[in-house]
PDB file of all heavy atoms in Angstrom:
ATOM      1  N   ASP U   1       0.849  -1.198   0.000  1.00 94.00           N
ATOM      2  CA  ASP U   1       0.000   0.000   0.000  1.00 94.00           C
ATOM      3  C   ASP U   1       0.883   1.246   0.000  1.00 94.00           C
ATOM      4  O   ASP U   1       0.974   1.967   0.988  1.00 94.00           O
ATOM      5  CB  ASP U   1      -0.908  -0.018   1.235  1.00 94.00           C
ATOM      6  CG  ASP U   1      -1.870   1.152   1.274  1.00 94.00           C
ATOM      7  OD1 ASP U   1      -2.311   1.589   0.197  1.00 94.00           O
ATOM      8  OD2 ASP U   1      -2.184   1.635   2.384  1.00 94.00           O
ATOM      9  N   PRO U   2       1.556   1.540  -1.130  1.00 95.00           N
ATOM     10  CA  PRO U   2       2.517   2.649  -1.139  1.00 95.00           C
ATOM     11  C   PRO U   2       1.878   4.028  -1.196  1.00 95.00           C
ATOM     12  O   PRO U   2       2.450   4.993  -0.691  1.00 95.00           O
ATOM     13  CB  PRO U   2       3.331   2.380  -2.401  1.00 95.00           C
ATOM     14  CG  PRO U   2       2.388   1.644  -3.297  1.00 95.00           C
ATOM     15  CD  PRO U   2       1.544   0.801  -2.394  1.00 95.00           C
ATOM     16  N   LEU U   3       0.698   4.147  -1.806  1.00 95.00           N
ATOM     17  CA  LEU U   3       0.101   5.467  -2.044  1.00 95.00           C
ATOM     18  C   LEU U   3      -1.360   5.455  -1.626  1.00 95.00           C
ATOM     19  O   LEU U   3      -2.277   5.564  -2.451  1.00 95.00           O
ATOM     20  CB  LEU U   3       0.245   5.859  -3.515  1.00 95.00           C
ATOM     21  CG  LEU U   3       1.679   5.973  -4.045  1.00 95.00           C
ATOM     22  CD1 LEU U   3       1.678   6.179  -5.550  1.00 95.00           C
ATOM     23  CD2 LEU U   3       2.416   7.118  -3.353  1.00 95.00           C
ATOM     24  N   THR U   4      -1.590   5.353  -0.322  1.00 95.00           N
ATOM     25  CA  THR U   4      -2.943   5.240   0.206  1.00 95.00           C
ATOM     26  C   THR U   4      -3.833   6.389  -0.258  1.00 95.00           C
ATOM     27  O   THR U   4      -3.465   7.561  -0.137  1.00 95.00           O
ATOM     28  CB  THR U   4      -2.914   5.222   1.744  1.00 95.00           C
ATOM     29  OG1 THR U   4      -1.949   4.277   2.183  1.00 95.00           O
ATOM     30  CG2 THR U   4      -4.277   4.858   2.310  1.00 95.00           C
ATOM     31  N   PHE U   5      -5.002   6.052  -0.795  1.00 93.00           N
ATOM     32  CA  PHE U   5      -6.050   6.982  -1.221  1.00 93.00           C
ATOM     33  C   PHE U   5      -5.690   7.810  -2.456  1.00 93.00           C
ATOM     34  O   PHE U   5      -6.556   8.518  -2.993  1.00 93.00           O
ATOM     35  CB  PHE U   5      -6.467   7.933  -0.088  1.00 93.00           C
ATOM     36  CG  PHE U   5      -7.068   7.238   1.092  1.00 93.00           C
ATOM     37  CD1 PHE U   5      -6.378   7.108   2.282  1.00 93.00           C
ATOM     38  CD2 PHE U   5      -8.345   6.707   1.025  1.00 93.00           C
ATOM     39  CE1 PHE U   5      -6.923   6.465   3.373  1.00 93.00           C
ATOM     40  CE2 PHE U   5      -8.906   6.056   2.112  1.00 93.00           C
ATOM     41  CZ  PHE U   5      -8.195   5.933   3.290  1.00 93.00           C
ATOM     42  N   MET U   6      -4.468   7.759  -2.927  1.00 94.00           N
ATOM     43  CA  MET U   6      -4.112   8.525  -4.119  1.00 94.00           C
ATOM     44  C   MET U   6      -4.839   7.987  -5.351  1.00 94.00           C
ATOM     45  O   MET U   6      -5.207   8.760  -6.241  1.00 94.00           O
ATOM     46  CB  MET U   6      -2.606   8.497  -4.335  1.00 94.00           C
ATOM     47  CG  MET U   6      -1.800   9.218  -3.259  1.00 94.00           C
ATOM     48  SD  MET U   6      -2.104  11.002  -3.185  1.00 94.00           S
ATOM     49  CE  MET U   6      -1.274  11.544  -4.675  1.00 94.00           C
ATOM     50  N   ASP U   7      -5.061   6.664  -5.402  1.00 93.00           N
ATOM     51  CA  ASP U   7      -5.788   6.102  -6.532  1.00 93.00           C
ATOM     52  C   ASP U   7      -7.249   6.536  -6.522  1.00 93.00           C
ATOM     53  O   ASP U   7      -7.854   6.745  -7.575  1.00 93.00           O
ATOM     54  CB  ASP U   7      -5.679   4.578  -6.539  1.00 93.00           C
ATOM     55  CG  ASP U   7      -6.116   3.950  -5.220  1.00 93.00           C
ATOM     56  OD1 ASP U   7      -6.177   4.661  -4.197  1.00 93.00           O
ATOM     57  OD2 ASP U   7      -6.389   2.733  -5.218  1.00 93.00           O
ATOM     58  N   VAL U   8      -7.815   6.713  -5.323  1.00 93.00           N
ATOM     59  CA  VAL U   8      -9.198   7.200  -5.228  1.00 93.00           C
ATOM     60  C   VAL U   8      -9.275   8.638  -5.728  1.00 93.00           C
ATOM     61  O   VAL U   8     -10.196   9.007  -6.467  1.00 93.00           O
ATOM     62  CB  VAL U   8      -9.704   7.093  -3.778  1.00 93.00           C
ATOM     63  CG1 VAL U   8     -11.116   7.668  -3.662  1.00 93.00           C
ATOM     64  CG2 VAL U   8      -9.683   5.643  -3.308  1.00 93.00           C
ATOM     65  N   LEU U   9      -8.312   9.447  -5.340  1.00 92.00           N
ATOM     66  CA  LEU U   9      -8.276  10.839  -5.792  1.00 92.00           C
ATOM     67  C   LEU U   9      -8.174  10.909  -7.312  1.00 92.00           C
ATOM     68  O   LEU U   9      -8.885  11.690  -7.967  1.00 92.00           O
ATOM     69  CB  LEU U   9      -7.091  11.551  -5.151  1.00 92.00           C
ATOM     70  CG  LEU U   9      -6.883  13.015  -5.548  1.00 92.00           C
ATOM     71  CD1 LEU U   9      -8.008  13.877  -5.012  1.00 92.00           C
ATOM     72  CD2 LEU U   9      -5.536  13.524  -5.036  1.00 92.00           C
ATOM     73  N   LEU U  10      -7.302  10.097  -7.889  1.00 93.00           N
ATOM     74  CA  LEU U  10      -7.159  10.071  -9.337  1.00 93.00           C
ATOM     75  C   LEU U  10      -8.453   9.630 -10.005  1.00 93.00           C
ATOM     76  O   LEU U  10      -8.864  10.186 -11.034  1.00 93.00           O
ATOM     77  CB  LEU U  10      -6.016   9.123  -9.726  1.00 93.00           C
ATOM     78  CG  LEU U  10      -5.696   9.006 -11.223  1.00 93.00           C
ATOM     79  CD1 LEU U  10      -5.211  10.348 -11.766  1.00 93.00           C
ATOM     80  CD2 LEU U  10      -4.630   7.933 -11.453  1.00 93.00           C
ATOM     81  N   ASN U  11      -9.133   8.672  -9.398  1.00 94.00           N
ATOM     82  CA  ASN U  11     -10.365   8.145  -9.975  1.00 94.00           C
ATOM     83  C   ASN U  11     -11.454   9.201 -10.078  1.00 94.00           C
ATOM     84  O   ASN U  11     -12.139   9.309 -11.109  1.00 94.00           O
ATOM     85  CB  ASN U  11     -10.849   6.961  -9.140  1.00 94.00           C
ATOM     86  CG  ASN U  11     -12.201   6.434  -9.582  1.00 94.00           C
ATOM     87  OD1 ASN U  11     -13.231   6.773  -9.000  1.00 94.00           O
ATOM     88  ND2 ASN U  11     -12.194   5.595 -10.612  1.00 94.00           N
ATOM     89  N   VAL U  12     -11.636  10.018  -9.031  1.00 94.00           N
ATOM     90  CA  VAL U  12     -12.754  10.974  -9.041  1.00 94.00           C
ATOM     91  C   VAL U  12     -12.533  12.106 -10.041  1.00 94.00           C
ATOM     92  O   VAL U  12     -13.491  12.780 -10.429  1.00 94.00           O
ATOM     93  CB  VAL U  12     -13.025  11.562  -7.635  1.00 94.00           C
ATOM     94  CG1 VAL U  12     -13.401  10.465  -6.661  1.00 94.00           C
ATOM     95  CG2 VAL U  12     -11.847  12.370  -7.127  1.00 94.00           C
ATOM     96  N   TYR U  13     -11.270  12.294 -10.473  1.00 93.00           N
ATOM     97  CA  TYR U  13     -11.013  13.352 -11.451  1.00 93.00           C
ATOM     98  C   TYR U  13     -10.766  12.826 -12.863  1.00 93.00           C
ATOM     99  O   TYR U  13     -10.462  13.609 -13.762  1.00 93.00           O
ATOM    100  CB  TYR U  13      -9.835  14.223 -10.995  1.00 93.00           C
ATOM    101  CG  TYR U  13     -10.243  15.202  -9.922  1.00 93.00           C
ATOM    102  CD1 TYR U  13      -9.748  15.109  -8.637  1.00 93.00           C
ATOM    103  CD2 TYR U  13     -11.169  16.211 -10.196  1.00 93.00           C
ATOM    104  CE1 TYR U  13     -10.138  15.987  -7.648  1.00 93.00           C
ATOM    105  CE2 TYR U  13     -11.573  17.094  -9.214  1.00 93.00           C
ATOM    106  CZ  TYR U  13     -11.060  16.984  -7.945  1.00 93.00           C
ATOM    107  OH  TYR U  13     -11.460  17.864  -6.973  1.00 93.00           O
ATOM    108  N   THR U  14     -10.906  11.531 -13.052  1.00 94.00           N
ATOM    109  CA  THR U  14     -10.735  10.973 -14.401  1.00 94.00           C
ATOM    110  C   THR U  14     -11.952  10.169 -14.847  1.00 94.00           C
ATOM    111  O   THR U  14     -11.980   9.684 -15.977  1.00 94.00           O
ATOM    112  CB  THR U  14      -9.493  10.063 -14.462  1.00 94.00           C
ATOM    113  OG1 THR U  14      -9.615   9.016 -13.496  1.00 94.00           O
ATOM    114  CG2 THR U  14      -8.230  10.867 -14.205  1.00 94.00           C
ATOM    115  N   THR U  15     -12.947  10.031 -13.977  1.00 95.00           N
ATOM    116  CA  THR U  15     -14.143   9.245 -14.293  1.00 95.00           C
ATOM    117  C   THR U  15     -15.288  10.175 -14.651  1.00 95.00           C
ATOM    118  O   THR U  15     -15.644  11.050 -13.862  1.00 95.00           O
ATOM    119  CB  THR U  15     -14.533   8.360 -13.100  1.00 95.00           C
ATOM    120  OG1 THR U  15     -13.430   7.513 -12.767  1.00 95.00           O
ATOM    121  CG2 THR U  15     -15.748   7.505 -13.432  1.00 95.00           C
ATOM    122  N   ALA U  16     -15.854   9.984 -15.827  1.00 95.00           N
ATOM    123  CA  ALA U  16     -16.861  10.915 -16.337  1.00 95.00           C
ATOM    124  C   ALA U  16     -18.260  10.645 -15.795  1.00 95.00           C
ATOM    125  O   ALA U  16     -19.076  11.561 -15.699  1.00 95.00           O
ATOM    126  CB  ALA U  16     -16.882  10.875 -17.868  1.00 95.00           C
ATOM    127  N   LYS U  17     -18.557   9.395 -15.438  1.00 95.00           N
ATOM    128  CA  LYS U  17     -19.915   9.054 -15.014  1.00 95.00           C
ATOM    129  C   LYS U  17     -19.935   8.656 -13.547  1.00 95.00           C
ATOM    130  O   LYS U  17     -19.056   7.936 -13.076  1.00 95.00           O
ATOM    131  CB  LYS U  17     -20.463   7.907 -15.866  1.00 95.00           C
ATOM    132  CG  LYS U  17     -20.636   8.256 -17.333  1.00 95.00           C
ATOM    133  CD  LYS U  17     -21.237   7.079 -18.106  1.00 95.00           C
ATOM    134  CE  LYS U  17     -21.439   7.427 -19.569  1.00 95.00           C
ATOM    135  NZ  LYS U  17     -22.008   6.283 -20.338  1.00 95.00           N
ATOM    136  N   MET U  18     -20.968   9.098 -12.840  1.00 94.00           N
ATOM    137  CA  MET U  18     -21.085   8.805 -11.423  1.00 94.00           C
ATOM    138  C   MET U  18     -21.118   7.304 -11.169  1.00 94.00           C
ATOM    139  O   MET U  18     -20.521   6.810 -10.208  1.00 94.00           O
ATOM    140  CB  MET U  18     -22.357   9.463 -10.868  1.00 94.00           C
ATOM    141  CG  MET U  18     -22.397   9.575  -9.367  1.00 94.00           C
ATOM    142  SD  MET U  18     -21.255  10.836  -8.705  1.00 94.00           S
ATOM    143  CE  MET U  18     -22.079  12.336  -9.239  1.00 94.00           C
ATOM    144  N   ASP U  19     -21.794   6.557 -12.021  1.00 93.00           N
ATOM    145  CA  ASP U  19     -21.918   5.114 -11.826  1.00 93.00           C
ATOM    146  C   ASP U  19     -20.583   4.390 -11.962  1.00 93.00           C
ATOM    147  O   ASP U  19     -20.439   3.258 -11.480  1.00 93.00           O
ATOM    148  CB  ASP U  19     -22.924   4.517 -12.815  1.00 93.00           C
ATOM    149  CG  ASP U  19     -24.350   4.956 -12.531  1.00 93.00           C
ATOM    150  OD1 ASP U  19     -24.610   5.400 -11.394  1.00 93.00           O
ATOM    151  OD2 ASP U  19     -25.192   4.875 -13.450  1.00 93.00           O
ATOM    152  N   ASP U  20     -19.614   5.007 -12.621  1.00 95.00           N
ATOM    153  CA  ASP U  20     -18.321   4.353 -12.857  1.00 95.00           C
ATOM    154  C   ASP U  20     -17.267   4.692 -11.811  1.00 95.00           C
ATOM    155  O   ASP U  20     -16.120   4.245 -11.924  1.00 95.00           O
ATOM    156  CB  ASP U  20     -17.788   4.751 -14.251  1.00 95.00           C
ATOM    157  CG  ASP U  20     -18.677   4.228 -15.372  1.00 95.00           C
ATOM    158  OD1 ASP U  20     -19.386   3.234 -15.151  1.00 95.00           O
ATOM    159  OD2 ASP U  20     -18.658   4.836 -16.464  1.00 95.00           O
ATOM    160  N   LEU U  21     -17.637   5.464 -10.792  1.00 95.00           N
ATOM    161  CA  LEU U  21     -16.674   5.815  -9.754  1.00 95.00           C
ATOM    162  C   LEU U  21     -16.199   4.576  -9.005  1.00 95.00           C
ATOM    163  O   LEU U  21     -16.938   3.595  -8.841  1.00 95.00           O
ATOM    164  CB  LEU U  21     -17.292   6.792  -8.757  1.00 95.00           C
ATOM    165  CG  LEU U  21     -17.522   8.237  -9.214  1.00 95.00           C
ATOM    166  CD1 LEU U  21     -18.266   8.998  -8.140  1.00 95.00           C
ATOM    167  CD2 LEU U  21     -16.200   8.921  -9.545  1.00 95.00           C
ATOM    168  N   ASP U  22     -14.961   4.626  -8.522  1.00 94.00           N
ATOM    169  CA  ASP U  22     -14.417   3.583  -7.667  1.00 94.00           C
ATOM    170  C   ASP U  22     -15.340   3.403  -6.452  1.00 94.00           C
ATOM    171  O   ASP U  22     -15.800   4.386  -5.867  1.00 94.00           O
ATOM    172  CB  ASP U  22     -13.016   4.008  -7.205  1.00 94.00           C
ATOM    173  CG  ASP U  22     -12.305   2.931  -6.402  1.00 94.00           C
ATOM    174  OD1 ASP U  22     -12.826   2.537  -5.344  1.00 94.00           O
ATOM    175  OD2 ASP U  22     -11.218   2.507  -6.825  1.00 94.00           O
ATOM    176  N   PRO U  23     -15.643   2.150  -6.072  1.00 93.00           N
ATOM    177  CA  PRO U  23     -16.537   1.934  -4.913  1.00 93.00           C
ATOM    178  C   PRO U  23     -16.071   2.656  -3.650  1.00 93.00           C
ATOM    179  O   PRO U  23     -16.893   3.111  -2.846  1.00 93.00           O
ATOM    180  CB  PRO U  23     -16.495   0.412  -4.734  1.00 93.00           C
ATOM    181  CG  PRO U  23     -16.193  -0.122  -6.090  1.00 93.00           C
ATOM    182  CD  PRO U  23     -15.265   0.887  -6.715  1.00 93.00           C
ATOM    183  N   ARG U  24     -14.742   2.778  -3.460  1.00 91.00           N
ATOM    184  CA  ARG U  24     -14.253   3.488  -2.271  1.00 91.00           C
ATOM    185  C   ARG U  24     -14.572   4.967  -2.347  1.00 91.00           C
ATOM    186  O   ARG U  24     -14.854   5.611  -1.320  1.00 91.00           O
ATOM    187  CB  ARG U  24     -12.750   3.273  -2.134  1.00 91.00           C
ATOM    188  CG  ARG U  24     -12.355   1.842  -1.773  1.00 91.00           C
ATOM    189  CD  ARG U  24     -10.862   1.664  -1.886  1.00 91.00           C
ATOM    190  NE  ARG U  24     -10.406   1.888  -3.250  1.00 91.00           N
ATOM    191  CZ  ARG U  24      -9.130   2.048  -3.602  1.00 91.00           C
ATOM    192  NH1 ARG U  24      -8.195   2.045  -2.666  1.00 91.00           N
ATOM    193  NH2 ARG U  24      -8.797   2.234  -4.860  1.00 91.00           N
ATOM    194  N   ALA U  25     -14.551   5.544  -3.551  1.00 91.00           N
ATOM    195  CA  ALA U  25     -14.933   6.944  -3.715  1.00 91.00           C
ATOM    196  C   ALA U  25     -16.417   7.122  -3.414  1.00 91.00           C
ATOM    197  O   ALA U  25     -16.825   8.089  -2.759  1.00 91.00           O
ATOM    198  CB  ALA U  25     -14.613   7.410  -5.129  1.00 91.00           C
ATOM    199  N   LYS U  26     -17.231   6.185  -3.882  1.00 92.00           N
ATOM    200  CA  LYS U  26     -18.668   6.269  -3.613  1.00 92.00           C
ATOM    201  C   LYS U  26     -18.947   6.193  -2.119  1.00 92.00           C
ATOM    202  O   LYS U  26     -19.841   6.880  -1.604  1.00 92.00           O
ATOM    203  CB  LYS U  26     -19.399   5.144  -4.347  1.00 92.00           C
ATOM    204  CG  LYS U  26     -19.467   5.321  -5.857  1.00 92.00           C
ATOM    205  CD  LYS U  26     -20.276   4.202  -6.497  1.00 92.00           C
ATOM    206  CE  LYS U  26     -20.392   4.388  -7.999  1.00 92.00           C
ATOM    207  NZ  LYS U  26     -21.173   3.305  -8.639  1.00 92.00           N
ATOM    208  N   GLU U  27     -18.169   5.352  -1.408  1.00 90.00           N
ATOM    209  CA  GLU U  27     -18.360   5.256   0.042  1.00 90.00           C
ATOM    210  C   GLU U  27     -18.133   6.595   0.725  1.00 90.00           C
ATOM    211  O   GLU U  27     -18.891   6.993   1.610  1.00 90.00           O
ATOM    212  CB  GLU U  27     -17.401   4.216   0.621  1.00 90.00           C
ATOM    213  CG  GLU U  27     -17.792   2.778   0.361  1.00 90.00           C
ATOM    214  CD  GLU U  27     -16.834   1.812   1.019  1.00 90.00           C
ATOM    215  OE1 GLU U  27     -15.649   2.169   1.178  1.00 90.00           O
ATOM    216  OE2 GLU U  27     -17.272   0.713   1.379  1.00 90.00           O
ATOM    217  N   LEU U  28     -17.085   7.297   0.309  1.00 87.00           N
ATOM    218  CA  LEU U  28     -16.770   8.576   0.939  1.00 87.00           C
ATOM    219  C   LEU U  28     -17.804   9.640   0.605  1.00 87.00           C
ATOM    220  O   LEU U  28     -17.966  10.606   1.352  1.00 87.00           O
ATOM    221  CB  LEU U  28     -15.381   9.039   0.496  1.00 87.00           C
ATOM    222  CG  LEU U  28     -14.208   8.136   0.889  1.00 87.00           C
ATOM    223  CD1 LEU U  28     -12.906   8.731   0.383  1.00 87.00           C
ATOM    224  CD2 LEU U  28     -14.153   7.936   2.388  1.00 87.00           C
ATOM    225  N   LEU U  29     -18.493   9.482  -0.521  1.00 90.00           N
ATOM    226  CA  LEU U  29     -19.460  10.482  -0.966  1.00 90.00           C
ATOM    227  C   LEU U  29     -20.892  10.075  -0.677  1.00 90.00           C
ATOM    228  O   LEU U  29     -21.825  10.724  -1.129  1.00 90.00           O
ATOM    229  CB  LEU U  29     -19.282  10.729  -2.470  1.00 90.00           C
ATOM    230  CG  LEU U  29     -17.918  11.316  -2.881  1.00 90.00           C
ATOM    231  CD1 LEU U  29     -17.771  11.312  -4.395  1.00 90.00           C
ATOM    232  CD2 LEU U  29     -17.745  12.720  -2.334  1.00 90.00           C
ATOM    233  N   THR U  30     -21.073   8.984   0.091  1.00 92.00           N
ATOM    234  CA  THR U  30     -22.408   8.503   0.444  1.00 92.00           C
ATOM    235  C   THR U  30     -22.610   8.669   1.945  1.00 92.00           C
ATOM    236  O   THR U  30     -21.819   8.166   2.751  1.00 92.00           O
ATOM    237  CB  THR U  30     -22.584   7.025   0.047  1.00 92.00           C
ATOM    238  OG1 THR U  30     -22.369   6.893  -1.360  1.00 92.00           O
ATOM    239  CG2 THR U  30     -23.980   6.541   0.392  1.00 92.00           C
TER     240      THR U  30
END
């Protein structure tokens, strides 16, 4: 686990549709 949460951050700014967000990102936004 070298870069904790950095992949989630990258996901929310590169994913165009809400349904395609990383499940961990959805958890933080739910």
Side-chain angles (χ1 to χ4, degrees):
D1 183 34
L3 299 172
T4 311
F5 297 107
M6 294 296 288
D7 54 342
V8 177
L9 178 68
L10 182 64
N11 174 262
V12 299
Y13 282 114
T14 58
T15 302
K17 295 182 179 179
M18 197 72 71
D19 291 341
D20 295 336
L21 288 174
D22 185 300
R24 291 170 298 167
K26 288 183 178 180
E27 285 183 331
L28 297 180
L29 297 171
T30 301

